[in-house]
Amino acid sequence: MAYELTEEQRMIQAMVREFARKEILPTAAERDRTKTFPIENIKKMGELGLMGMNVPTEFNGAGADTVSYSAALQEIAYACASTAVIMSVHNSVACGPIYLYGSDYLKETFLRRLATGEMIGSFALTEPSAGSDPSSQRTRAVRDGDGYVINGGKIFITSGKNSDLTVVTAYTDREQRHKGISAFVVEKGTPGFSVGKEEEKMGLRASDTVELIFEDCRVSAQNLLGEEGDGFVIAMASLDGGRIGIASQSVGLGQACLDAAVAYAKERVQFNKTISQFQGIRWMIADMATQLEAGRLLTFNAAAMRDRGENFSAAASMAKVFSSEMANKVAYQALQIHGGYGYIVEFPVERYYRDARVFTIYEGTSEIQRTVISNHVIGK
C-alpha cells in the first residue's frame, strides 16, 4: 500500500483485521439472509473501542485519529458491509455531532455511553420530501416551556430501530429556511417517539433502515445540540465526516471483491488452464486493483486532512464519490469474473454486489458530491 501508516495505525488495522475476519466474516452471509442485527458483534466492537474511535479518552472514547478510524472501518466492511454501516453512522453522525456541538450535559449523559457501545446512535435528517435538500424537511420543533415538542417523520434511518438515541433535525423557525433548522438528541422510549415501517432492502440487510415518527414528542431544552438554528451546520459538518466513513466502507468492500475475484480466477479452469492466465481476466483484475488503490489513497488523504485540521469538505466528497462508484464497478467486475457462480448466493460476490449499490446514494448522492466539489473548484 502506497499510503504510509504509522506504527500505531498499523497496529489498529491489524487488530481490527484479526477481529473482523475471526468474529464477523464467518456469519456475514447468514446475517444477510436472516436480516439479523449484529448486536453481539457491536458489543464486542464497543469493548475494542471501535464505537467511539474519534471520541477523546476523557469521554470513554479511543481517542484515535481519522486515518486509524478509516483503516478500521475498511476492515469491518471487508468482513460485513452491514456491520460497517452501523459502525460508520454511530461514529460519524451520532458521536460526532454530540462531541462537536453538545453541551457538557449531553457529553456526560450520552457521549460516554455511546463511545463504549453501551448505547447505539443514529441520525435522522431524511424525509419523504427532503433528501438531498434538507431545507425541504417538514418536521417541526416548537418551544414549550422548558422543552420542545417535535412533530413530523423521518425515513431511511440507518439503525433507527436498534439505536438507543437519535440525533434529529427539525425546524424551529420555518421562515429562516436552512438557518431555522435545529438539532436534538432524542432517546428511545421518549413518549411520542416511535419506529414506523422497516424497509425491505436490496442490500445491507443486517442493518435496519426504518421510518421514525414524532407525535407531540417532548424533549428537554437540554437536548438541543448547539443553539437554535445550528441544525443545518451540524448536519453538514457531520456528513463531511460521514463521507469519509462511506468511502472507507467502499474501499473495504472493494478489497473483498478483488480478493474474491483473484482467488476464483486462480482456481477456475477453462480450456485447460486457469482463467487467471487469460489476458482479458488479468486486465480486468489490473483495473480493479488500480481503481481500488486510487480510492484508498483519496480516502486516507481526506482523513489525514481532517486530522491536520484542514478544510476537508471537498476532499471527503472526492473520496466518497470516487470510492463509492469504484466499489460498484469492482463488484460488477468481480461478479463477471465468477460467471454464473457470481449470481448465486453461495458465493459472497452476490452479496457484495447488492451491498455496494447504496454507497453512491446515502450520506449524499454522487450528484451532490459533484456539486460540493464543483463549488469548491469553480465557486458557487
Side-chain angles (χ1 to χ4, degrees), residues 271-325:
F271 306 103
N272 297 318
K273 54 180 166 180
T274 61
I275 63 171
S276 63
Q277 296 177 66
F278 293 111
Q279 187 182 67
I281 300 295
R282 296 179 76 87
W283 283 16
M284 283 175 70
I285 288 172
D287 287 344
M288 291 165 72
T290 302
Q291 294 269 305
L292 177 61
E293 186 68 3
R296 181 180 285 114
L297 293 172
L298 279 168
T299 302
F300 278 142
N301 176 63
M305 287 179 70
R306 186 186 190 195
D307 288 335
R308 293 194 298 266
E310 299 171 15
N311 184 332
F312 67 96
S313 182
S317 285
M318 289 178 181
K320 202 271 187 184
V321 69
F322 184 89
S323 298
S324 62
E325 293 184 356

Side-chain angles (χ1 to χ4, degrees), residues 24 129 138 216 317:
I24 297 176
S129 62
R138 295 176 181 171
D216 293 331
S317 285

Side-chain angles (χ1 to χ4, degrees), residues 171-182:
Y171 267 114
T172 45
D173 186 353
R174 184 88 199 191
E175 299 290 311
Q176 296 290 318
R177 295 287 289 166
H178 68 275
K179 292 182 179 178
I181 298 170
S182 301

Side-chain angles (χ1 to χ4, degrees), residues 55 85 108 123 168 208 373:
V55 176
V85 74
E108 290 293 331
F123 178 77
V168 181
D208 64 279
I373 296 162

Side-chain angles (χ1 to χ4, degrees), residues 149 254 361:
V149 177
I361 298 171

Side-chain angles (χ1 to χ4, degrees), residues 256-266 281 285 288 333-334 337-338 349:
C257 289
L258 177 63
D259 288 356
V262 169
Y264 182 82
K266 286 181 173 180
I281 300 295
I285 288 172
M288 291 165 72
Q333 290 171 312
I337 288 169
H338 279 70
V349 290

Side-chain angles (χ1 to χ4, degrees), residues 211-228:
E211 173 189 28
L212 297 179
I213 301 165
F214 302 89
E215 297 174 307
D216 293 331
C217 175
R218 172 178 281 276
V219 296
S220 167
Q222 287 184 299
N223 286 40
L224 176 69
L225 271 174
E227 305 292 330
E228 274 197 22

